[in-house]
Amino acid sequence: MSLLVVGSVAFDGLESPYGKVERTLGGAATYFSIAASFFTPVHLVAVVGDDFTDRDAKIFQQHNIDCEGLERAVGKSFFWAGKYSENLNERITLTTELNVFADFKPKLPERYRGSKYVFLANIAPDLQRDVLQQVKKRPKIAALDTMNYWIERTNEDLMETLRHVDILMINDAETRQLSSEHNLLRAAKRIFKLGPSTLVIKRGEHGAMMVDKRGVFCVPAFPLEEPHDPTGAGDSFAGGFMGYLAGAGDKSDASLRRAMVYGSVMGSFTVEKFGLDRLKTLKRSEIHARARHFAKLTQFKL
Ligand code: AMP
C-alpha cells in the first residue's frame, strides 16, 4: 500500500556536542520518506530550489521513493539550522528560511490521489490541508506532525487542518503547547476534541506514548551509549510508524502497537549518526534485528 507524504525537503545546519555540519540534506519529509521506504512504497510531495542537485536526489532514488510530486522551483530550498545542548535533550532553532516553500502550491500527480495512507509532515498547515483535499477519498489513515513554529504563527490554520486527521504525532512540548495542559493524558482529551482520535507523543530519550479511546501504550527509546544527533528522529519515528501501518494494510490495535515499535526502531537508528548518515547505510535485516531486541527489552512475567 503506498504512502503519501507532504513536508519539508531542506538543507540543515546542525550542531551538537559531537560535531558541526554547515549544510546537509534534511527536512521532515526526507527523514520520513527514507524511514518509511523500508516498509512500503512512498510518494513524496514537496518543493526544492535550484540548489538541490542530482546528487541530493540520489538518496531518494536509492530508496525507490517516487519523486514525481517533488517540484523544482527557482530560488533556494528551505533552510533550517539548529543547535543541541550538552545532553542532546534541548535544541534551539538558529535559523528558519522558508525560501521556495513560501510560495509553494502543491499539486498532486493523478497517481497520488487515491492514497489510502497520508502523512502530513511538519510544514505550513494550509499546505498540509491543501494536499489532503486533493486526495479523492478519505484515507484509511491521515496523520499529521507539526511544531511550535506553526502552532504559534498559524494556529487557526492548524486547527482547521486538525479537524480532518485521524492521528496527531507530536512531541511532549508541542502536546503541552497545543493543548495548554501540562498533564499528557489530560492534554490528549483536549486534543481529541480538535479532531484526531489517536495521539502519538514522541518523548525523545523517554520513548513514545500512544493514547486513544482504548487506552495508553508506551514504547521505550532504544538505549544507545552514544547518540550523536537527534535531528530527524521524530520524522524517522513517524516514517517507521506510518510505513509499517501502510505495509500491514490495517489499523488494528495490534498493528498500531507494532507500528510504535518500528517507529522507535527507526528513530533510534537516525540518532546514531549525523543527519541522514545512518539511514543511508541501514539494512532491513538490521531493522528487524532491532525490533526483536525491543521485544526482549520490554518482556516480563507477572
Ligand atoms: P525533527 O528533528 O524530527 O524535529 O525534524 C528536523 C527536521 O525538520 C529538519 O531536517 C528540518 O529541516 C525540518 N524543520 C525544521 N523546522 C521546520 C519547519 N518550521 N517546518 C518544516 N520543517 C522544519
Side-chain angles (χ1 to χ4, degrees):
M1 218 40 112
S2 64
L3 168 60
L4 173 69
V5 55
V6 60
S8 53
V9 172
F11 289 104
D12 292 343
L14 308 172
E15 198 176 335
S16 92
Y18 294 92
K20 191 172 171 176
V21 180
E22 294 287 340
R23 186 177 177 278
T24 187
L25 183 65
T30 306
Y31 284 99
F32 178 92
S33 54
I34 296 169
S37 70
F38 288 93
F39 303 89
T40 200
V42 179
H43 292 165
L44 173 65
V45 176
V47 63
V48 286
D50 38 32
D51 50 358
F52 182 88
T53 63
D54 289 347
R55 231 177 121 206
D56 298 314
K58 231 184 192 149
I59 187 159
F60 295 103
Q61 288 156 6
Q62 282 164 346
H63 289 83
N64 281 326
I65 294 162
D66 187 321
C67 289
E68 196 188 329
L70 179 64
E71 189 183 312
R72 316 266 178 142
V74 178
K76 279 167 83 178
S77 301
F78 186 103
F79 181 78
W80 174 82
K83 185 176 172 179
Y84 293 88
S85 62
E86 205 52 43
N87 61 11
L88 298 180
N89 284 337
E90 273 109 53
R91 168 169 93 186
I92 51 165
T93 290
L94 302 172
T95 317
T96 301
E97 294 170 11
L98 295 182
N99 297 327
V100 289
F101 258 109
D103 300 313
F104 182 45
K105 297 265 172 294
K107 192 166 182 314
L108 258 58
E110 194 53 40
R111 291 186 298 116
Y112 290 16
R113 289 177 191 244
S115 300
K116 297 260 182 298
Y117 294 83
V118 178
F119 188 68
L120 309 168
N122 183 19
I123 196 61
D126 59 332
L127 296 185
Q128 295 176 316
R129 193 166 66 243
D130 199 350
V131 164
L132 201 52
Q133 280 165 351
Q134 292 179 53
V135 175
K136 275 184 195 146
K137 264 200 195 157
R138 194 186 162 101
K140 256 190 173 174
I141 299 183
L144 177 146
D145 185 9
T146 191
M147 71 184 294
N148 58 348
Y149 188 91
W150 305 112
I151 298 172
E152 287 155 22
R153 284 163 213 241
T154 54
N155 196 272
E156 260 181 46
D157 261 329
L158 178 60
M159 291 300 153
E160 177 53 31
T161 307
L162 276 176
R163 291 181 4 164
H164 307 282
V165 304
D166 309 291
I167 302 181
L168 177 64
M169 223 182 277
I170 48 180
N171 71 28
D172 37 10
E174 291 151 0
T175 303
R176 293 183 171 118
Q177 188 181 17
L178 186 67
S179 64
S180 309
E181 267 292 353
H182 186 79
N183 179 283
L184 295 177
L185 293 179
R186 280 208 302 271
K189 281 193 181 157
R190 287 213 177 177
I191 285 171
F192 295 155
K193 291 193 179 128
L194 304 176
S197 54
T198 302
L199 173 65
V200 174
I201 307 172
K202 298 171 285 184
R203 309 191 66 200
E205 64 172 341
H206 304 298
M209 180 165 124
M210 175 171 67
V211 192
D212 64 13
K213 64 175 186 310
R214 291 174 287 224
V216 181
F217 177 70
C218 294
V219 284
F222 191 73
L224 290 172
E225 248 179 66
E226 266 210 353
H228 276 68
D229 168 26
T231 308
D235 308 309
S236 306
F237 178 98
F241 181 95
M242 286 298 285
Y244 177 79
L245 285 179
D250 83 291
K251 50 179 180 181
S252 64
D253 190 43
S255 286
L256 283 161
R257 286 170 182 238
R258 274 194 293 274
M260 289 285 286
V261 173
Y262 280 104
S264 202
V265 164
M266 297 312 289
S268 75
F269 281 118
T270 292
V271 302
E272 281 182 358
K273 288 193 178 167
F274 257 77
L276 294 162
D277 284 356
R278 184 63 181 99
L279 288 188
K280 275 182 191 162
T281 60
L282 189 61
K283 296 189 186 70
R284 271 202 182 82
S285 56
E286 294 175 302
I287 295 173
H288 296 302
R290 187 160 289 181
R292 285 194 293 277
H293 207 140
F294 261 85
K296 272 198 190 153
L297 264 181
T298 51
Q299 206 168 39
F300 61 91
K301 285 194 181 128
L302 279 181

